[in-house]
Amino acid sequence: MTDDSRRDGGASDVELVERCRSGDEAALDALVRRHHASAYRVALSITRRDDVAQDVVQDAFIKAFRALNGFRGDAAFRTWMMTITANEARATLRKHGRWRESAIDDVAPMAVDDPDPAEQAVARRESERARAMLETLPEKQRLSVSLRVDEGLSFREIGEMIGSSEGAARVNYFHGIRRLRELMQ
Amino acid sequence: MSHTDCGMIREYLPGAATDRLSSGELDAVQGHLLSCEDCAAELELIQMLRAAPPAVPTELADHVATAVRTSRRPARRPWWGISAAAVAALALGINVSTEPREQIDAAIPGFVSETAEGELWLSDDGLLAGEPSLEGLSDEALMELLEELEAEGAA
Ligand SMILES: [Zn+2]
């Protein structure tokens, strides 16, 4: 699911992009449906605000489709899209400043009234606690962990996205994981 | 198990949590985890994170697709108008602001090639339908194009 050759409804990303360039709106819808979730998670990881992240994703997709002719098939559409989203999210933060305190609660609400059986409820709360802790890490660590764990990206791809080398992406990821394990104890 | 093993195994752990490993890699990871509590704890953390991914708003895909489609409709405000104006202005020696175009460029990652003149992506029902270049246009056609853009800018 991590490369542009994955198929969904019979068309690869490369085929959909090609159709999109010639004005096929169904192909546009398919590309948006396929990649908006990854883009949203990237935007959320950077901005830590749901409403801001949604705006960022929308603006990023508009810009990406305007620049579709600049997209080359040698990069996966998904990582290209995620990189545009990450840039857009950072630009938004620069423009409007950062939103800090309330953001963490918005992103990882703790289950208060969980209808699951006791054991599942405990596991669920632990997962949500891990997510909340992830939000407290510095941006590059947070993003590296999220891109690796949620999106399955390589360290080279993560490096491109956080504006670092492959090695720096690896270090950020492992520092983030180590810090999370300390926080979870 | 040695630290060298841990280093290699830890690279695989996110893949192990998501069924992205080959059977050989998975065997190596499972064998290692039997005797390494540290890596087992790390895999547990990764699985914990994956069990509570941020919820993606259900309406988001529809909203985004609608916004993209609207932005591509030249009848309202042709997205390519600014670039086309810049190209036409070059041909005519007229100074036209290209700021919106620069804002777009700033957001697009560096490995994307800059859009060359001949690659302008024009909509089917646009002013230059079917002809992705300004090169073939007469001076009259370019003036018409500029006038339309100016009218839009004034609106
Ligand atoms: Zn180990």
Side-chain angles (χ1 to χ4, degrees):
Chain A
M1 66 173 268
T2 61
D3 61 36
D4 62 335
S5 64
R6 94 177 187 165
R7 294 183 171 258
D8 180 10
S12 71
D13 282 355
V14 171
E15 287 163 347
L16 288 175
V17 166
E18 206 46 55
R19 280 163 50 190
C20 214
R21 280 172 176 154
S22 52
D24 183 340
E25 295 207 339
L28 184 158
D29 286 345
L31 280 171
V32 171
R33 269 201 308 278
R34 205 178 271 185
H35 300 295
H36 77 286
S38 296
Y40 173 76
R41 286 189 291 265
V42 167
L44 188 63
S45 185
I46 294 173
T47 66
R48 300 199 268 192
R49 279 263 305 249
D50 167 64
D51 55 344
V52 180
Q54 291 195 49
D55 288 346
V56 162
V57 170
Q58 181 165 311
D59 291 344
F61 269 89
I62 288 173
K63 286 178 178 176
F65 277 88
R66 283 175 183 176
L68 208 57
N69 264 18
F71 169 72
R72 295 200 295 252
D74 52 356
F77 181 81
R78 190 172 78 109
T79 49
W80 184 69
M81 194 60 244
M82 287 163 72
T83 307
I84 293 172
T85 306
N87 291 347
E88 183 69 22
R90 289 194 201 95
T92 300
L93 285 187
R94 278 196 300 273
K95 213 185 298 169
H96 298 291
R98 292 174 183 265
W99 302 267
R100 284 187 188 280
E101 302 312 328
S102 64
I104 291 166
D105 291 339
D106 292 347
V107 171
M110 300 293 283
V112 181
D113 210 358
D114 202 325
D116 290 354
E119 227 172 86
Q120 282 179 37
V122 170
R124 181 82 199 156
R125 272 199 293 276
E126 280 297 280
S127 287
E128 284 167 353
R129 196 161 74 88
R131 277 283 162 188
M133 293 295 136
L134 176 61
E135 294 308 317
T136 68
L137 300 184
E139 181 188 310
K140 285 191 176 182
Q141 290 182 19
R142 184 167 88 227
L143 202 51
S144 298
V145 170
S146 170
L147 292 170
R148 185 87 174 145
V149 168
D150 294 327
E151 317 297 340
L153 296 193
S154 69
F155 288 122
R156 184 183 54 77
E157 290 170 323
I158 294 170
E160 278 172 14
M161 220 159 287
I162 65 173
S164 305
S165 66
E166 179 176 346
R170 181 180 271 106
V171 167
N172 272 298
Y173 168 78
F174 283 117
H175 278 181
I177 288 286
R178 190 198 300 155
R179 183 78 189 116
L180 270 185
R181 284 183 59 191
E182 289 165 5
L183 290 167
M184 288 300 286
Q185 276 167 6
Chain B
M1 284 290 166
S2 72
H3 286 295
T4 318
D5 286 333
C6 288
M8 185 191 77
I9 294 299
R10 292 174 77 203
E11 300 264 338
Y12 287 139
L13 292 178
T18 51
D19 287 336
R20 286 195 308 260
L21 298 185
S22 69
S23 59
E25 290 166 342
L26 197 58
D27 285 350
V29 170
Q30 284 171 340
H32 180 84
L33 293 183
L34 290 175
S35 59
C36 182
E37 280 181 25
D38 204 36
C39 286
E42 185 161 317
L43 178 60
E44 196 188 351
L45 171 66
I46 290 168
Q47 286 166 333
M48 244 186 242
L49 289 169
R50 285 192 55 82
V56 180
T58 48
E59 306 290 301
L60 182 60
D62 286 343
H63 289 164
V64 170
T66 302
V68 172
R69 264 188 253 117
T70 304
S71 77
R72 292 175 71 188
R73 248 165 233 153
R76 307 187 69 171
R77 187 167 193 281
W79 66 264
W80 46 265
I82 303 303
S83 292
V87 174
L90 271 180
L92 298 171
I94 296 169
N95 185 25
V96 173
S97 166
T98 59
E99 192 190 350
R101 172 73 214 173
E102 281 157 11
Q103 284 169 359
I104 290 170
D105 287 342
I108 308 297
F111 52 83
V112 178
S113 65
E114 61 277 31
T115 305
E117 180 183 333
E119 289 178 326
L120 280 175
W121 179 45
L122 304 177
S123 298
D124 289 338
D125 48 350
L127 195 56
L128 303 171
E131 177 50 72
S133 166
L134 295 174
E135 279 172 21
L137 294 183
S138 66
D139 283 353
E140 287 80 358
L142 284 169
M143 284 309 293
E144 256 178 46
L145 170 60
L146 270 185
E147 273 164 21
E148 277 206 34
L149 290 167
E150 276 163 16
E152 252 167 31

